[in-house]
Amino acid sequence: MIDPRRLRVLRALADHGTVTAAAQALYLSPSAVSQQLAALEAEVGHALLERRGRAVRLTATGVVLAEHATRVAEQLERAEADLAAVSTGVAGEVVIAAFATSIIEVVAPALAGLRLGAPQVRVRVKDAEGHTSLRLVLDGEADVAVAVEQRFTLGSGGDRLLREPLYVEPFDAVLPPGHPLADDAAVDLAALAPGAWITPWPGNPVHDMVLRGCEDAGFRPRVECLSDDFRAVCALVAAGVGVALVPRSALHSIDTSGAEVRPLTGRPPTRRVFTAVRRGSETHPLVTLALGELRTRAAHLSHP
């Protein structure tokens, strides 16, 4: 009989690529991970790893077993969801990993709603930018992720997530005082090509979206300042350093009195936000409750 706990270790190695990274994700020592993998090889009677110096990779047999480990994990998630559904009342803990703006606009209001409607549910929140929230869900450190569509890959891990759109919002132009286009009701993105730009750091989904939007408008922005904090971005714009594109919801909680905010003409770049949970956990009462509240609170943010 194959020990499912050892399958989890194999799955973590497939996800993270090294024994050390898998050990960190599982809160085990590297030696404990190695021992579990060696025991699993003994159980199945096949070599699962190819060792090349300090590096390891899955053999063909290891890849096949890792795929089975994914299905076993999904079925265990469903079992937990079914057991939770059988119990009376809704109580327990759910962990949401989300990026800062979504915490302000969606997650925090959802928590307020849950505290009123389901006071026995404890919700923990982890601030996670980029695709970090997805990795937290895959590693079992969060139950629900709120993330932004971007060009990256989680490898085989992405197949283990169930995604649902949450909201879509446009980017607005943030202009310094006295900018030639500041008096216009709406701004053509291509007209902003000549000046300096302020964007988030590369790796931040918004950075990729801004560059892609500018490329679609026929130019590559000259980026002079970088910050992942939209308050800092708007402050730099107000200081006359350059222009920026900022997701509309991020502007709701920022004092932009020193800058000019204008919508973009045509089809502006958009930020598409989604929720993600581990496949099999979507019917868990606590996950269902959290997702429902998030959708309710996000409804006012969606734009066509």
Side-chain angles (χ1 to χ4, degrees):
M1 180 69 70
I2 299 174
D3 189 334
R5 292 171 298 181
R6 290 170 183 155
L7 288 179
R8 182 168 179 255
V9 174
L10 181 67
R11 182 69 264 173
L13 179 64
D15 283 344
H16 294 278
T18 68
V19 169
T20 300
Q24 290 174 344
L26 296 170
Y27 296 99
L28 297 172
S29 67
S31 61
V33 168
S34 296
Q35 290 170 7
Q36 291 291 318
L37 292 171
L40 183 58
E41 286 183 320
E43 282 180 342
V44 300
H46 293 278
L48 303 175
L49 306 176
E50 293 178 354
R51 293 170 176 80
R52 297 181 177 180
R54 295 183 178 180
V56 296
R57 59 179 296 180
L58 296 182
T59 63
T61 303
V63 170
V64 169
L65 191 57
E67 292 173 353
H68 282 286
T70 296
R71 291 193 284 274
V72 169
E74 182 177 331
Q75 193 58 42
L76 289 173
E77 291 281 1
R78 294 188 190 283
E80 289 184 3
D82 289 344
L83 288 173
V86 169
S87 65
T88 58
V90 177
E93 179 180 275
V94 61
V95 181
I96 301 174
F99 59 96
T101 301
S102 68
I103 292 175
I104 296 171
E105 294 292 325
V106 179
V107 178
L111 263 62
L114 286 171
R115 291 181 69 178
L116 289 174
Q120 291 180 298
V121 176
R122 179 189 178 201
V123 183
R124 294 170 54 212
V125 177
K126 297 184 178 182
D127 188 335
E129 294 290 338
H131 65 268
T132 304
S133 60
L134 303 180
R135 179 54 62 190
L136 290 173
V137 171
L138 285 172
D139 288 344
E141 296 183 42
D143 303 297
V144 179
V146 179
V148 177
E149 291 287 358
Q150 66 181 116
R151 291 179 288 189
F152 77 92
T153 177
L154 278 172
S156 61
D159 298 336
R160 294 159 53 205
L161 294 173
L162 181 64
R163 306 185 185 204
E164 290 187 0
L166 187 60
Y167 63 91
V168 179
E169 61 176 333
F171 283 75
D172 287 331
V174 185
L175 311 176
H179 191 279
L181 301 177
D183 292 332
D184 293 357
V187 175
D188 180 3
L189 180 54
L192 298 177
W197 279 72
I198 304 153
T199 74
W201 280 89
N204 185 311
V206 172
H207 177 88
D208 295 338
M209 292 171 197
V210 170
L211 262 60
R212 189 159 64 246
C214 292
E215 289 168 1
D216 291 342
F219 70 98
R220 184 170 184 82
R222 176 166 55 87
V223 178
E224 302 236 338
C225 296
L226 296 163
S227 175
D228 285 335
D229 188 331
F230 290 123
R231 292 170 301 177
V233 169
C234 290
L236 290 169
V237 172
V241 174
V243 301
L245 295 185
V246 177
R248 184 165 293 172
S249 68
L251 295 168
H252 293 170
S253 59
I254 296 175
D255 179 7
T256 59
S257 57
E260 302 291 342
V261 179
R262 296 291 182 271
L264 296 171
T265 60
R267 300 181 63 181
T270 57
R271 176 161 74 168
R272 298 180 179 275
V273 180
F274 65 93
T275 59
V277 300
R278 291 182 298 279
R279 288 189 180 276
S281 72
E282 67 272 13
T283 57
H284 192 291
L286 293 178
V287 172
T288 300
L289 191 65
L291 290 175
E293 195 67 31
L294 289 172
R295 284 192 291 268
T296 297
R297 302 298 172 170
H300 72 286
L301 295 175
S302 254
H303 296 262

